[in-house]
Amino acid sequence: MTYSPADTALGQLHAKKEDQVTIGLLGASAPKDHITQIILQDVTSRYVFALDKRLINVDASKLYTAKRLFVRAHSDFFPPESAHLLLSFANSAR
């Protein structure tokens, strides 16, 4: 799952309603033994995924930087880097 401290939808709107920090803002934190961390890569880089983890936090803070509402939010899958990540996940599952 991607996350970014600039994700205003999850960082501000959900946090106020739910009274807690959301995973889209800082990534998942539990269960620790099932989580690994990677950085969102550009489209020319290859991903290496940990096969022994059930959840991958993807630091997308280089891509999702705008601090305005609904700009480069967590559901913004149009950038090539997002497609590259998704296709890389699919390829690793083959």
Side-chain angles (χ1 to χ4, degrees), residues 1-90:
M1 90 183 46
T2 59
Y3 73 91
S4 170
D7 190 334
T8 54
L10 291 175
Q12 295 172 10
L13 301 177
H14 286 282
K16 286 180 183 177
K17 288 292 242 181
E18 299 164 15
D19 197 28
Q20 64 182 349
V21 175
T22 56
I23 57 177
L25 184 68
L26 300 175
S29 59
K32 287 189 182 284
D33 56 333
H34 292 286
I35 300 173
T36 189
Q37 179 93 10
I38 63 173
I39 297 173
L40 186 71
Q41 302 293 321
D42 63 45
V43 296
T44 62
S45 299
R46 294 183 59 121
Y47 283 99
V48 177
F49 300 112
L51 301 177
D52 62 334
K53 302 297 181 183
R54 299 177 80 190
L55 182 61
I56 301 172
N57 278 330
V58 182
D59 181 349
S61 57
K62 289 194 304 187
L63 181 63
Y64 305 136
T65 58
K67 291 213 176 237
R68 295 175 303 184
L69 290 177
F70 310 114
V71 176
R72 290 278 190 198
H74 60 280
S75 60
D76 185 359
F77 51 85
F78 293 109
E81 295 87 351
S82 295
H84 175 56
L85 174 65
L86 181 62
L87 293 171
S88 296
F89 278 139

